[in-house]
Amino acid sequence: MNVLTKYWPAQQAQLGVMEAAAAIAAGGVIAFPTETVYGLGGNARSTAAVERIFTAKGRPSDNPLIVHLANKKEVYSLAEHVNEVEEALMEAFWPGPLTLVLPVREGAVSPLVTAGLDTVAVRVPEHELARLLIEQSGCPIAAPSANRSGRPSPTQASHVLEDLNGRIDGVLDGGATGVGLESTVIRVVGRKVHILRPGGVTREQIQSIIGSTVEISPPNDRESSGSESTASVELAPRSPGVKYAHYAPKGEMILITGPMEKLAAAVQRKGDQAAASGRHVAIICCEEHSASYHAEAILVSGPYHAPETAAHSLYALLRECDERGIDYIVAEGYPEEGIGAALMNRLRKAAGGHEITVD
Ligand code: TXA
Ligand code: MG
């Protein structure tokens, strides 16, 4: 595959959106900013366009895509039905980083988008350029994150070009994305909300709207731990995407969790061990600890009690490790409240399940 990838700088966003929308309407695939991460968009009704998305990313065809809509009322043309809880959540969080998995209306989108499932994932993004792009292209836009499959999601246009230059028709630059992690993917069953993938909208925020139980399906966070029973795996809806390696840097990574004051000693020990065996070591840590560490690279993710800052910067830091030839990363864990839950989910995935808990 070798196509010319057009680049529209942020200063030419208006022209960029017009040209990008025309390209999508004509069957092209364009990367664009959302408030979470950059997406790689194509007409969700066009099988040829959706095929190009899968090919450009190297994405397994059994992993379905999220359909992005310009506004809430379009959801009824894609979903077979929407219940009260889903209505309340869309009302509360759209536009924004919440994706709902709904029963799909037959023929509403290309079957490749849903990977043959009887559901479709939908969201209304909050980013102004995303909204304009969907409106002007005149079609629902299927868009996975705009990275090569398995790599950290792109939070800057330059990340998209690193992975997909020559494989897609264009990139609309909107600067760094805000949230920095992907949307929360949920499936509502009756009055229960199953969080299939934690993300930009937190469990606490969802709970404040629906008031009743919010269930997190157990396989999502620690699927490699093998601790969940078969029964719970069968009962809880799953996202096909969670079984794939994700968000991973090229180097090996280990996550150290536990109380804040116990982290630093364990992190330094791990880093020293790896350095002694000739590895190129990076430490990803909170602002408070950064001055106390010694390593080839010390990358500050943000204040310990502001996980939204670490969420915003995580993927860029993982990519920086790759660029600097780092082959061993030791990362500090964060408290799992609020956006910290999504942050820890991505750190665990990036570490491929390697985690040491100190107490
Ligand atoms: O923030 C985001 O969600 C970004 C931006 C571009 O919108 N998109 C994104 O897409 O992260 P992607 O393809 O990287 O992740 C979509 C996730 C995958 O885990 C996929 O398996 C799941 O959503 N998904 C999509 N359709 C589904 C369905 N019908 N049922 C269950 N899970 C689904
Ligand atoms: Mg992705």
Side-chain angles (χ1 to χ4, degrees):
M1 195 175 338
N2 207 353
V3 298
L4 188 66
T5 303
K6 178 130 198 188
Y7 171 77
W8 295 281
Q11 303 88 304
Q12 289 169 24
Q14 225 166 357
L15 172 73
V17 168
M18 268 172 56
E19 291 184 0
I24 286 181
V29 292
I30 301 287
F32 63 99
T34 79
E35 70 281 16
T36 58
V37 299
Y38 276 75
L40 176 59
N43 180 352
R45 297 194 189 106
S46 159
T47 292
V50 177
E51 233 160 28
R52 285 194 60 202
I53 294 175
F54 278 95
T55 308
K57 280 185 60 91
R59 180 174 176 113
S61 60
D62 65 349
N63 193 3
L65 308 182
I66 297 173
V67 178
H68 296 66
L69 306 173
N71 55 61
K72 178 172 167 252
K73 60 178 193 294
E74 288 172 42
V75 82
Y76 307 102
S77 62
L78 295 188
E80 194 61 49
H81 52 82
V82 177
N83 74 23
E84 263 172 41
V85 176
E86 290 158 344
E87 279 288 348
L89 292 171
M90 292 187 302
E91 200 53 48
F93 299 113
W94 281 2
L98 181 73
T99 297
L100 287 98
V101 172
L102 301 167
V104 66
R105 196 179 274 270
E106 214 186 302
V109 293
S110 162
L112 293 192
V113 169
T114 57
L117 300 175
D118 55 5
T119 53
V120 63
V122 288
R123 85 178 188 97
V124 174
E126 193 174 17
H127 198 290
E128 179 68 2
L129 290 182
R131 195 182 56 78
L132 290 171
L133 182 68
I134 305 165
E135 266 173 12
Q136 291 182 25
S137 66
C139 57
I141 293 185
S145 51
N147 50 286
R148 288 297 292 262
S149 222
R151 296 215 67 207
S153 296
T155 54
Q156 297 169 26
S158 61
H159 300 162
V160 176
L161 289 169
E162 260 167 46
D163 281 15
L164 299 175
N165 196 10
R167 307 179 68 88
I168 62 175
D169 297 311
V171 183
L172 200 52
D173 193 341
T177 60
V179 180
L181 302 179
E182 301 81 353
S183 63
T184 303
V185 180
I186 62 166
R187 173 88 190 262
V188 181
V189 181
R191 293 201 56 82
K192 268 193 189 137
V193 177
H194 295 267
I195 298 181
L196 307 185
R197 176 179 73 180
V201 169
T202 67
R203 176 202 175 102
E204 293 85 346
Q205 286 175 302
I206 293 172
Q207 202 136 42
S208 76
I209 298 301
I210 69 155
S212 60
T213 338
V214 177
E215 275 205 7
I216 302 216
S217 57
N220 207 355
D221 236 28
R222 295 170 187 254
E223 73 242 53
S224 53
S225 73
S227 59
E228 65 273 358
S229 71
T230 319
S232 70
V233 174
E234 277 164 14
L235 285 175
R238 288 196 65 171
S239 216
V242 303
K243 68 175 178 285
Y244 292 108
H246 260 116
Y247 323 113
K250 290 177 184 149
E252 193 183 332
M253 176 162 155
I254 182 152
L255 176 65
I256 312 287
T257 52
M260 185 193 185
E261 63 284 0
K262 298 271 177 71
L263 291 178
V267 167
Q268 188 65 61
R269 195 172 334 113
K270 268 291 170 198
D272 289 348
Q273 279 168 7
S277 60
R279 314 286 295 265
H280 295 282
V281 175
I283 292 175
I284 298 183
C285 60
C286 66
E287 212 167 86
E288 292 86 338
H289 289 162
S290 62
S292 70
Y293 286 131
H294 310 275
E296 185 172 324
I298 295 163
L299 305 173
V300 180
S301 53
Y304 187 75
H305 292 290
E308 62 279 6
T309 309
H312 174 79
S313 60
L314 176 67
Y315 290 146
L317 296 182
L318 294 179
R319 281 176 182 265
E320 187 180 338
C321 288
D322 289 352
E323 252 162 50
R324 292 171 69 164
I326 296 296
D327 58 14
Y328 194 84
I329 303 169
V330 193
E332 292 183 342
Y334 270 82
E336 303 207 30
E337 294 103 59
I339 190 84
L343 175 64
M344 288 297 286
N345 170 270
R346 303 311 190 273
L347 282 166
R348 287 193 172 107
K349 295 248 178 190
H354 298 150
E355 179 172 344
I356 294 179
T357 304
V358 289
D359 44 28

